[in-house]
Amino acid sequence: MSGLGQSSSAAGTGRPEFLDSKGGRIKIQPEDVRGRFLRWRRVVYGVLIVHLLALPFIKNGKHPAIHLDIPDRQFFLAGRAFNAQDVWLMVFLLAGFAFGLVFLTALAGRVWCGWACPQTVFLEGIYRPIERWIEGPASQRRRLVEGGWTARRIALAAIKQSLYLAVSLMLAHWFLAFFVSAPVLADLVVHGPAGHGTLFGIAMAVTALFWANFAWFREQFCIILCPYGRLQSVLTDRQTLLIGYDVRRGEPRGKVAKGASAAPRGDCIDCGRCFRVCPTGIDIRNGQQMECIGCAQCIDACDEMMSRVGRPTGLVRYDSLEGFEGERKARILRPRVVAYGAVSLTALLIVGLNVFALRTPFEANLLRSAGIPYVLETTSIRNQFELHLINKHVDPAEFEVTVTGPPGTTILVPQPRIRLGPLEGIRTPVMVTVDRAQYRGPFEIQARVTDLSSGQTRDLTARFLGPPTGPRS
């Protein structure tokens, strides 16, 4: 079984094959590459990995920057607290992200996939470096495969897979920290699985998922599972900035011609470096393909070879389809980009306004208690209501409750001052009584809830009901 770049097609072109004689997958072994895009990608990967791993453990106030407590329906994001009643904001948040991704795709193709997608960041930033460190560059890895299962290959594979499992276990615990918080995670680690059977099972399942994905499945996730690549053709246009091959300059391709009588050729020397460094194994010279994740490794590889043979770089580059055809340079502002950007900004603006401007730090409702609408007593009519109050601060807060009604109304509020913890809620009764001789029909009572820490108020109304007051027929 051969690795990438080692097998040849029937035509003898040196193109890679990815299926063996039995139809099995041949593992892609991308060669190492150097260049400006790789250096920038490593910086981006490092920044993203540090930030992603630190998010569950960085405290914003008394709570983590991100803590999604699903069982208790409490969510802490960037120092703000949310409960189940705020889930509707997720619709606009996800819509904003989705249209933002669409906007980015219309602008620069699959730059998200190659530069910021967690699949690529963890694979290229952690797992592949481990593989290169243990088994060496692509040429050595191919020789290991071609040599069969020798003692050396088994030992190296055992070391590599052990490190993969260790990293996957760490990533699984990091993932779990988003949902259980860092203190609970520390308790899980210190006291072992006996006291946290469910969480331990989840951690093991996520570990297995990470290991299977990054150790084996790899580029197949981008090619087979991820639907984003299949949408690329409808999200881009002829002005979108893409990675491509300049056919006009590169063809006809061939080895470097020597001598005055040599037939003229294009700048492409047909070295195969562009597809040998590709993490998804495509040949960028065949045009735009679904499997391209926009990582720019083929650009670095081609630029390196062009510099070696003394030809201008940029044979493979970022450009638009119109640019590659020599029509005009890529235009950034165009109707498709403006429309996608406007929709994404509108969705995010709705979330921002509700979170930072319109959202009150507490929820309050005054509802009639379950059961009969009113109670007739000897000389009075009584209605019973229930005040629902939820503190949406990230810290404990105190609230003052005042209820008023028309003259002659007696109002009893057992808890005029209520102290609640973060995202804590309470249901407290409110009893309203009026003398039967003064009752002239249904009327409104007003309740005001004041947040003593912020000074914000919430005015509520409820309708007092009683028996019919008109003459009987």
Side-chain angles (χ1 to χ4, degrees), residues 294-324:
C295 66
Q297 290 196 173
C298 55
I299 298 180
D300 285 336
C302 185
D303 284 351
E304 181 183 13
M305 297 307 298
M306 290 295 101
S307 298
R308 287 185 180 182
V309 298
R311 295 179 179 178
T313 59
L315 179 60
V316 178
R317 64 181 183 271
Y318 277 109
D319 205 340
S320 67
L321 292 179
E322 291 186 347
F324 283 115

PDB file of all heavy atoms in Angstrom, residues 294-324:
ATOM      1  N   GLY A 294      -9.005  25.684   1.465  1.00  0.00           N
ATOM      2  CA  GLY A 294      -8.440  27.023   1.463  1.00  0.00           C
ATOM      3  C   GLY A 294      -7.310  27.226   2.447  1.00  0.00           C
ATOM      4  O   GLY A 294      -7.160  28.319   2.997  1.00  0.00           O
ATOM      5  N   CYS A 295      -6.485  26.209   2.664  1.00  0.00           N
ATOM      6  CA  CYS A 295      -5.406  26.307   3.659  1.00  0.00           C
ATOM      7  C   CYS A 295      -4.171  27.009   3.119  1.00  0.00           C
ATOM      8  O   CYS A 295      -3.288  27.380   3.894  1.00  0.00           O
ATOM      9  CB  CYS A 295      -5.036  24.928   4.181  1.00  0.00           C
ATOM     10  SG  CYS A 295      -4.299  23.845   2.944  1.00  0.00           S
ATOM     11  N   ALA A 296      -4.050  27.160   1.824  1.00  0.00           N
ATOM     12  CA  ALA A 296      -2.954  27.877   1.156  1.00  0.00           C
ATOM     13  C   ALA A 296      -1.623  27.129   1.186  1.00  0.00           C
ATOM     14  O   ALA A 296      -0.586  27.710   0.850  1.00  0.00           O
ATOM     15  CB  ALA A 296      -2.772  29.281   1.751  1.00  0.00           C
ATOM     16  N   GLN A 297      -1.612  25.841   1.551  1.00  0.00           N
ATOM     17  CA  GLN A 297      -0.349  25.104   1.526  1.00  0.00           C
ATOM     18  C   GLN A 297       0.161  24.934   0.096  1.00  0.00           C
ATOM     19  O   GLN A 297       1.374  24.930  -0.143  1.00  0.00           O
ATOM     20  CB  GLN A 297      -0.512  23.745   2.202  1.00  0.00           C
ATOM     21  CG  GLN A 297      -0.703  23.850   3.698  1.00  0.00           C
ATOM     22  CD  GLN A 297      -0.495  22.549   4.441  1.00  0.00           C
ATOM     23  OE1 GLN A 297      -0.505  22.540   5.657  1.00  0.00           O
ATOM     24  NE2 GLN A 297      -0.292  21.450   3.736  1.00  0.00           N
ATOM     25  N   CYS A 298      -0.736  24.804  -0.860  1.00  0.00           N
ATOM     26  CA  CYS A 298      -0.315  24.677  -2.256  1.00  0.00           C
ATOM     27  C   CYS A 298       0.329  25.971  -2.751  1.00  0.00           C
ATOM     28  O   CYS A 298       1.224  25.945  -3.602  1.00  0.00           O
ATOM     29  CB  CYS A 298      -1.490  24.284  -3.139  1.00  0.00           C
ATOM     30  SG  CYS A 298      -2.916  25.393  -3.013  1.00  0.00           S
ATOM     31  N   ILE A 299      -0.104  27.122  -2.215  1.00  0.00           N
ATOM     32  CA  ILE A 299       0.523  28.390  -2.608  1.00  0.00           C
ATOM     33  C   ILE A 299       1.969  28.427  -2.133  1.00  0.00           C
ATOM     34  O   ILE A 299       2.887  28.766  -2.886  1.00  0.00           O
ATOM     35  CB  ILE A 299      -0.267  29.578  -2.031  1.00  0.00           C
ATOM     36  CG1 ILE A 299      -1.703  29.600  -2.581  1.00  0.00           C
ATOM     37  CG2 ILE A 299       0.438  30.887  -2.360  1.00  0.00           C
ATOM     38  CD1 ILE A 299      -2.536  30.747  -2.056  1.00  0.00           C
ATOM     39  N   ASP A 300       2.172  28.088  -0.849  1.00  0.00           N
ATOM     40  CA  ASP A 300       3.540  28.077  -0.314  1.00  0.00           C
ATOM     41  C   ASP A 300       4.429  27.098  -1.081  1.00  0.00           C
ATOM     42  O   ASP A 300       5.587  27.400  -1.383  1.00  0.00           O
ATOM     43  CB  ASP A 300       3.514  27.702   1.167  1.00  0.00           C
ATOM     44  CG  ASP A 300       3.029  28.847   2.050  1.00  0.00           C
ATOM     45  OD1 ASP A 300       3.155  30.015   1.627  1.00  0.00           O
ATOM     46  OD2 ASP A 300       2.516  28.573   3.144  1.00  0.00           O
ATOM     47  N   ALA A 301       3.888  25.911  -1.398  1.00  0.00           N
ATOM     48  CA  ALA A 301       4.682  24.903  -2.108  1.00  0.00           C
ATOM     49  C   ALA A 301       5.052  25.374  -3.509  1.00  0.00           C
ATOM     50  O   ALA A 301       6.208  25.223  -3.955  1.00  0.00           O
ATOM     51  CB  ALA A 301       3.907  23.588  -2.179  1.00  0.00           C
ATOM     52  N   CYS A 302       4.089  25.954  -4.212  1.00  0.00           N
ATOM     53  CA  CYS A 302       4.344  26.408  -5.584  1.00  0.00           C
ATOM     54  C   CYS A 302       5.299  27.590  -5.591  1.00  0.00           C
ATOM     55  O   CYS A 302       6.206  27.661  -6.430  1.00  0.00           O
ATOM     56  CB  CYS A 302       3.028  26.768  -6.268  1.00  0.00           C
ATOM     57  SG  CYS A 302       3.202  27.205  -8.011  1.00  0.00           S
ATOM     58  N   ASP A 303       5.112  28.532  -4.666  1.00  0.00           N
ATOM     59  CA  ASP A 303       6.018  29.684  -4.596  1.00  0.00           C
ATOM     60  C   ASP A 303       7.451  29.234  -4.336  1.00  0.00           C
ATOM     61  O   ASP A 303       8.415  29.800  -4.894  1.00  0.00           O
ATOM     62  CB  ASP A 303       5.563  30.646  -3.493  1.00  0.00           C
ATOM     63  CG  ASP A 303       4.345  31.460  -3.904  1.00  0.00           C
ATOM     64  OD1 ASP A 303       3.965  31.399  -5.089  1.00  0.00           O
ATOM     65  OD2 ASP A 303       3.781  32.163  -3.037  1.00  0.00           O
ATOM     66  N   GLU A 304       7.602  28.220  -3.470  1.00  0.00           N
ATOM     67  CA  GLU A 304       8.937  27.703  -3.174  1.00  0.00           C
ATOM     68  C   GLU A 304       9.591  27.134  -4.433  1.00  0.00           C
ATOM     69  O   GLU A 304      10.777  27.390  -4.710  1.00  0.00           O
ATOM     70  CB  GLU A 304       8.840  26.634  -2.084  1.00  0.00           C
ATOM     71  CG  GLU A 304      10.177  26.038  -1.680  1.00  0.00           C
ATOM     72  CD  GLU A 304      10.027  24.923  -0.656  1.00  0.00           C
ATOM     73  OE1 GLU A 304       8.881  24.449  -0.455  1.00  0.00           O
ATOM     74  OE2 GLU A 304      11.057  24.509  -0.086  1.00  0.00           O
ATOM     75  N   MET A 305       8.837  26.369  -5.222  1.00  0.00           N
ATOM     76  CA  MET A 305       9.392  25.765  -6.436  1.00  0.00           C
ATOM     77  C   MET A 305       9.670  26.831  -7.501  1.00  0.00           C
ATOM     78  O   MET A 305      10.678  26.755  -8.215  1.00  0.00           O
ATOM     79  CB  MET A 305       8.440  24.701  -6.978  1.00  0.00           C
ATOM     80  CG  MET A 305       8.224  23.516  -6.041  1.00  0.00           C
ATOM     81  SD  MET A 305       9.760  22.738  -5.498  1.00  0.00           S
ATOM     82  CE  MET A 305      10.435  22.190  -7.054  1.00  0.00           C
ATOM     83  N   MET A 306       8.793  27.824  -7.619  1.00  0.00           N
ATOM     84  CA  MET A 306       9.027  28.891  -8.595  1.00  0.00           C
ATOM     85  C   MET A 306      10.292  29.660  -8.257  1.00  0.00           C
ATOM     86  O   MET A 306      11.072  30.048  -9.150  1.00  0.00           O
ATOM     87  CB  MET A 306       7.826  29.838  -8.633  1.00  0.00           C
ATOM     88  CG  MET A 306       6.568  29.246  -9.252  1.00  0.00           C
ATOM     89  SD  MET A 306       6.715  28.855 -11.019  1.00  0.00           S
ATOM     90  CE  MET A 306       6.985  27.070 -10.937  1.00  0.00           C
ATOM     91  N   SER A 307      10.525  29.889  -6.964  1.00  0.00           N
ATOM     92  CA  SER A 307      11.753  30.590  -6.566  1.00  0.00           C
ATOM     93  C   SER A 307      12.984  29.759  -6.881  1.00  0.00           C
ATOM     94  O   SER A 307      14.031  30.295  -7.270  1.00  0.00           O
ATOM     95  CB  SER A 307      11.701  30.904  -5.060  1.00  0.00           C
ATOM     96  OG  SER A 307      10.617  31.761  -4.761  1.00  0.00           O
ATOM     97  N   ARG A 308      12.883  28.447  -6.742  1.00  0.00           N
ATOM     98  CA  ARG A 308      14.031  27.577  -7.021  1.00  0.00           C
ATOM     99  C   ARG A 308      14.422  27.594  -8.490  1.00  0.00           C
ATOM    100  O   ARG A 308      15.604  27.526  -8.832  1.00  0.00           O
ATOM    101  CB  ARG A 308      13.712  26.151  -6.595  1.00  0.00           C
ATOM    102  CG  ARG A 308      13.704  25.932  -5.087  1.00  0.00           C
ATOM    103  CD  ARG A 308      13.504  24.463  -4.779  1.00  0.00           C
ATOM    104  NE  ARG A 308      13.491  24.217  -3.336  1.00  0.00           N
ATOM    105  CZ  ARG A 308      13.378  22.993  -2.800  1.00  0.00           C
ATOM    106  NH1 ARG A 308      13.271  21.933  -3.589  1.00  0.00           N
ATOM    107  NH2 ARG A 308      13.369  22.862  -1.497  1.00  0.00           N
ATOM    108  N   VAL A 309      13.425  27.661  -9.372  1.00  0.00           N
ATOM    109  CA  VAL A 309      13.723  27.616 -10.815  1.00  0.00           C
ATOM    110  C   VAL A 309      13.816  29.015 -11.415  1.00  0.00           C
ATOM    111  O   VAL A 309      13.927  29.166 -12.634  1.00  0.00           O
ATOM    112  CB  VAL A 309      12.667  26.780 -11.575  1.00  0.00           C
ATOM    113  CG1 VAL A 309      12.672  25.351 -11.090  1.00  0.00           C
ATOM    114  CG2 VAL A 309      11.269  27.403 -11.438  1.00  0.00           C
ATOM    115  N   GLY A 310      13.754  30.051 -10.570  1.00  0.00           N
ATOM    116  CA  GLY A 310      13.939  31.411 -11.048  1.00  0.00           C
ATOM    117  C   GLY A 310      12.769  31.984 -11.812  1.00  0.00           C
ATOM    118  O   GLY A 310      12.959  32.814 -12.711  1.00  0.00           O
ATOM    119  N   ARG A 311      11.556  31.575 -11.452  1.00  0.00           N
ATOM    120  CA  ARG A 311      10.365  32.108 -12.114  1.00  0.00           C
ATOM    121  C   ARG A 311       9.510  32.870 -11.105  1.00  0.00           C
ATOM    122  O   ARG A 311       9.612  32.635  -9.907  1.00  0.00           O
ATOM    123  CB  ARG A 311       9.556  30.969 -12.752  1.00  0.00           C
ATOM    124  CG  ARG A 311      10.322  30.282 -13.873  1.00  0.00           C
ATOM    125  CD  ARG A 311       9.539  29.150 -14.501  1.00  0.00           C
ATOM    126  NE  ARG A 311      10.303  28.520 -15.583  1.00  0.00           N
ATOM    127  CZ  ARG A 311       9.888  27.482 -16.277  1.00  0.00           C
ATOM    128  NH1 ARG A 311       8.717  26.907 -16.004  1.00  0.00           N
ATOM    129  NH2 ARG A 311      10.639  26.984 -17.248  1.00  0.00           N
ATOM    130  N   PRO A 312       8.657  33.776 -11.587  1.00  0.00           N
ATOM    131  CA  PRO A 312       7.865  34.589 -10.659  1.00  0.00           C
ATOM    132  C   PRO A 312       6.920  33.716  -9.825  1.00  0.00           C
ATOM    133  O   PRO A 312       6.375  32.721 -10.313  1.00  0.00           O
ATOM    134  CB  PRO A 312       7.077  35.519 -11.580  1.00  0.00           C
ATOM    135  CG  PRO A 312       7.808  35.511 -12.874  1.00  0.00           C
ATOM    136  CD  PRO A 312       8.434  34.152 -12.996  1.00  0.00           C
ATOM    137  N   THR A 313       6.747  34.098  -8.568  1.00  0.00           N
ATOM    138  CA  THR A 313       5.786  33.402  -7.718  1.00  0.00           C
ATOM    139  C   THR A 313       4.362  33.818  -8.100  1.00  0.00           C
ATOM    140  O   THR A 313       4.159  34.721  -8.901  1.00  0.00           O
ATOM    141  CB  THR A 313       6.050  33.719  -6.243  1.00  0.00           C
ATOM    142  OG1 THR A 313       5.943  35.135  -6.042  1.00  0.00           O
ATOM    143  CG2 THR A 313       7.435  33.259  -5.821  1.00  0.00           C
ATOM    144  N   GLY A 314       3.385  33.147  -7.507  1.00  0.00           N
ATOM    145  CA  GLY A 314       1.991  33.496  -7.769  1.00  0.00           C
ATOM    146  C   GLY A 314       1.327  32.660  -8.834  1.00  0.00           C
ATOM    147  O   GLY A 314       0.216  32.989  -9.271  1.00  0.00           O
ATOM    148  N   LEU A 315       1.980  31.576  -9.276  1.00  0.00           N
ATOM    149  CA  LEU A 315       1.328  30.689 -10.235  1.00  0.00           C
ATOM    150  C   LEU A 315       0.079  30.068  -9.605  1.00  0.00           C
ATOM    151  O   LEU A 315      -0.965  29.932 -10.252  1.00  0.00           O
ATOM    152  CB  LEU A 315       2.311  29.600 -10.682  1.00  0.00           C
ATOM    153  CG  LEU A 315       1.783  28.562 -11.680  1.00  0.00           C
ATOM    154  CD1 LEU A 315       1.330  29.233 -12.963  1.00  0.00           C
ATOM    155  CD2 LEU A 315       2.840  27.510 -11.969  1.00  0.00           C
ATOM    156  N   VAL A 316       0.182  29.691  -8.348  1.00  0.00           N
ATOM    157  CA  VAL A 316      -0.977  29.326  -7.527  1.00  0.00           C
ATOM    158  C   VAL A 316      -1.119  30.439  -6.500  1.00  0.00           C
ATOM    159  O   VAL A 316      -0.152  30.744  -5.784  1.00  0.00           O
ATOM    160  CB  VAL A 316      -0.785  27.965  -6.837  1.00  0.00           C
ATOM    161  CG1 VAL A 316      -1.984  27.646  -5.957  1.00  0.00           C
ATOM    162  CG2 VAL A 316      -0.578  26.869  -7.857  1.00  0.00           C
ATOM    163  N   ARG A 317      -2.277  31.053  -6.415  1.00  0.00           N
ATOM    164  CA  ARG A 317      -2.414  32.241  -5.570  1.00  0.00           C
ATOM    165  C   ARG A 317      -3.873  32.471  -5.189  1.00  0.00           C
ATOM    166  O   ARG A 317      -4.777  31.764  -5.650  1.00  0.00           O
ATOM    167  CB  ARG A 317      -1.894  33.466  -6.309  1.00  0.00           C
ATOM    168  CG  ARG A 317      -2.700  33.820  -7.560  1.00  0.00           C
ATOM    169  CD  ARG A 317      -2.136  35.032  -8.279  1.00  0.00           C
ATOM    170  NE  ARG A 317      -2.954  35.419  -9.441  1.00  0.00           N
ATOM    171  CZ  ARG A 317      -2.802  34.955 -10.655  1.00  0.00           C
ATOM    172  NH1 ARG A 317      -1.856  34.055 -10.892  1.00  0.00           N
ATOM    173  NH2 ARG A 317      -3.600  35.366 -11.640  1.00  0.00           N
ATOM    174  N   TYR A 318      -4.072  33.451  -4.343  1.00  0.00           N
ATOM    175  CA  TYR A 318      -5.415  33.957  -4.046  1.00  0.00           C
ATOM    176  C   TYR A 318      -5.809  34.935  -5.142  1.00  0.00           C
ATOM    177  O   TYR A 318      -5.116  35.920  -5.405  1.00  0.00           O
ATOM    178  CB  TYR A 318      -5.437  34.693  -2.701  1.00  0.00           C
ATOM    179  CG  TYR A 318      -5.589  33.813  -1.485  1.00  0.00           C
ATOM    180  CD1 TYR A 318      -4.521  33.610  -0.616  1.00  0.00           C
ATOM    181  CD2 TYR A 318      -6.810  33.218  -1.181  1.00  0.00           C
ATOM    182  CE1 TYR A 318      -4.658  32.811   0.515  1.00  0.00           C
ATOM    183  CE2 TYR A 318      -6.961  32.421  -0.064  1.00  0.00           C
ATOM    184  CZ  TYR A 318      -5.882  32.224   0.786  1.00  0.00           C
ATOM    185  OH  TYR A 318      -6.034  31.436   1.890  1.00  0.00           O
ATOM    186  N   ASP A 319      -6.932  34.681  -5.780  1.00  0.00           N
ATOM    187  CA  ASP A 319      -7.435  35.583  -6.820  1.00  0.00           C
ATOM    188  C   ASP A 319      -8.876  35.180  -7.109  1.00  0.00           C
ATOM    189  O   ASP A 319      -9.357  34.134  -6.650  1.00  0.00           O
ATOM    190  CB  ASP A 319      -6.580  35.494  -8.088  1.00  0.00           C
ATOM    191  CG  ASP A 319      -6.646  36.771  -8.924  1.00  0.00           C
ATOM    192  OD1 ASP A 319      -7.612  37.551  -8.734  1.00  0.00           O
ATOM    193  OD2 ASP A 319      -5.754  36.978  -9.758  1.00  0.00           O
ATOM    194  N   SER A 320      -9.565  35.982  -7.874  1.00  0.00           N
ATOM    195  CA  SER A 320     -10.923  35.637  -8.289  1.00  0.00           C
ATOM    196  C   SER A 320     -10.876  34.888  -9.608  1.00  0.00           C
ATOM    197  O   SER A 320      -9.860  34.892 -10.316  1.00  0.00           O
ATOM    198  CB  SER A 320     -11.765  36.905  -8.439  1.00  0.00           C
ATOM    199  OG  SER A 320     -11.286  37.695  -9.524  1.00  0.00           O
ATOM    200  N   LEU A 321     -11.991  34.252  -9.966  1.00  0.00           N
ATOM    201  CA  LEU A 321     -12.052  33.556 -11.252  1.00  0.00           C
ATOM    202  C   LEU A 321     -11.850  34.539 -12.400  1.00  0.00           C
ATOM    203  O   LEU A 321     -11.196  34.216 -13.400  1.00  0.00           O
ATOM    204  CB  LEU A 321     -13.407  32.843 -11.394  1.00  0.00           C
ATOM    205  CG  LEU A 321     -13.649  31.663 -10.451  1.00  0.00           C
ATOM    206  CD1 LEU A 321     -15.036  31.075 -10.679  1.00  0.00           C
ATOM    207  CD2 LEU A 321     -12.579  30.581 -10.654  1.00  0.00           C
ATOM    208  N   GLU A 322     -12.396  35.747 -12.274  1.00  0.00           N
ATOM    209  CA  GLU A 322     -12.181  36.756 -13.305  1.00  0.00           C
ATOM    210  C   GLU A 322     -10.715  37.173 -13.363  1.00  0.00           C
ATOM    211  O   GLU A 322     -10.179  37.450 -14.428  1.00  0.00           O
ATOM    212  CB  GLU A 322     -13.083  37.965 -13.051  1.00  0.00           C
ATOM    213  CG  GLU A 322     -14.561  37.685 -13.277  1.00  0.00           C
ATOM    214  CD  GLU A 322     -15.402  38.939 -13.155  1.00  0.00           C
ATOM    215  OE1 GLU A 322     -14.868  39.953 -12.650  1.00  0.00           O
ATOM    216  OE2 GLU A 322     -16.578  38.906 -13.549  1.00  0.00           O
ATOM    217  N   GLY A 323     -10.069  37.213 -12.177  1.00  0.00           N
ATOM    218  CA  GLY A 323      -8.655  37.554 -12.149  1.00  0.00           C
ATOM    219  C   GLY A 323      -7.799  36.505 -12.833  1.00  0.00           C
ATOM    220  O   GLY A 323      -6.859  36.829 -13.569  1.00  0.00           O
ATOM    221  N   PHE A 324      -8.119  35.228 -12.602  1.00  0.00           N
ATOM    222  CA  PHE A 324      -7.356  34.162 -13.253  1.00  0.00           C
ATOM    223  C   PHE A 324      -7.564  34.174 -14.766  1.00  0.00           C
ATOM    224  O   PHE A 324      -6.683  33.763 -15.520  1.00  0.00           O
ATOM    225  CB  PHE A 324      -7.764  32.800 -12.685  1.00  0.00           C
ATOM    226  CG  PHE A 324      -7.173  32.498 -11.343  1.00  0.00           C
ATOM    227  CD1 PHE A 324      -7.977  32.364 -10.223  1.00  0.00           C
ATOM    228  CD2 PHE A 324      -5.805  32.348 -11.186  1.00  0.00           C
ATOM    229  CE1 PHE A 324      -7.426  32.086  -8.982  1.00  0.00           C
ATOM    230  CE2 PHE A 324      -5.244  32.079  -9.955  1.00  0.00           C
ATOM    231  CZ  PHE A 324      -6.065  31.943  -8.834  1.00  0.00           C
TER     232      PHE A 324
END
